[in-house]
Amino acid sequence: MRVHRINNQPVAPEQEVIDLSPLDPLIGKYRGKKGALIPLLQGMQALYGYLPRPALEKMSEETGIPLSEMFGVITFYAQFRLKPVGKNIIKVCHGTACHVQHAVEITEALEEALQVRDGETTADRMFTLESVACLGCCSLAPVMMIGDQAYGKLNGAKAEKIVGNIRLMQENNNITQ
């Protein structure tokens, strides 16, 4: 048997090109203040929709907060995102009431319709699909939320239709603008 060696050259990560100037007022507001890391990260995410690496590096350099400390906080709290998310975040409840009412069917139908896996964002960044532990709408089980709107008593086909209607509505709005 012959062993073939794999060329282990590191692949250069794609560098994001983003405008870092909106960070200046945010960093200025919290510079030198104790306990500012979470508000800084929240502010950055409000600016960009997620926490881009170049922005984190700038914040680390200007505040003196090590990147390792930032990543410790980012990975601990579910509110922080390291990748861009879609304009519409679809949260499919997988709590007990929804689970026994076949929530998995809804997630699978949406994965197929959107061509993404759970936790991923569509290529056009219109939708991000997420399974969540509970949405607190047990009487509507199975349920999903898109933005602030809850949709209950679902099956896979109903969920696909709702997402399709949202896509059409938003595409039509973009055409008329």
Side-chain angles (χ1 to χ4, degrees):
M1 182 168 118
R2 238 187 169 148
V3 176
H4 295 281
R5 295 196 183 266
I6 298 172
N7 189 355
N8 258 352
Q9 293 180 349
V11 177
E14 292 181 28
Q15 272 299 340
E16 299 174 77
V17 179
I18 59 170
D19 180 9
L20 298 176
S21 62
L23 285 176
D24 294 334
L26 178 67
I27 292 170
K29 179 178 178 181
Y30 291 103
R31 188 181 316 256
K33 293 185 179 177
K34 287 195 179 269
L37 180 53
I38 289 176
L40 281 165
L41 294 172
Q42 289 170 327
M44 181 188 299
Q45 189 160 283
L47 288 169
Y48 299 106
Y50 71 112
L51 302 172
R53 178 73 183 223
L56 290 168
E57 290 170 351
K58 175 180 175 146
M59 187 176 289
S60 176
E61 289 169 15
E62 295 198 18
T63 64
I65 300 170
L67 273 174
S68 59
E69 187 176 333
M70 289 183 182
F71 278 101
V73 170
I74 292 164
T75 57
F76 181 80
Y77 291 105
Q79 69 176 298
F80 296 120
R81 301 177 183 280
L82 290 168
K83 291 192 265 181
V85 293
K87 182 177 179 180
N88 304 283
I89 299 175
I90 304 168
K91 296 178 182 179
V92 180
C93 182
H94 283 262
T96 304
C98 291
H99 178 74
V100 298
Q101 294 291 328
H102 310 289
V104 172
E105 174 191 331
I106 295 164
T107 298
E108 288 173 350
L110 291 173
E111 285 176 334
E112 188 174 323
L114 297 170
Q115 295 297 295
V116 295
R117 290 189 184 154
D118 189 10
E120 294 180 346
T121 299
T122 57
D124 62 3
R125 289 195 181 163
M126 189 173 284
F127 296 101
T128 296
L129 179 62
E130 295 181 342
S131 291
V132 296
C134 185
L135 290 172
C137 305
C138 300
S139 64
L140 298 175
V143 66
M144 72 177 178
M145 286 189 81
I146 302 176
D148 295 332
Q149 179 68 45
Y151 302 89
K153 305 289 184 191
L154 296 173
N155 59 35
K158 287 180 185 176
E160 283 183 57
K161 185 175 182 179
I162 291 165
V163 170
N165 288 338
I166 291 170
R167 180 181 292 282
L168 280 174
M169 188 173 66
Q170 290 182 354
E171 286 173 353
N172 288 338
N173 284 342
N174 288 339
I175 291 170
T176 59
Q177 290 178 351

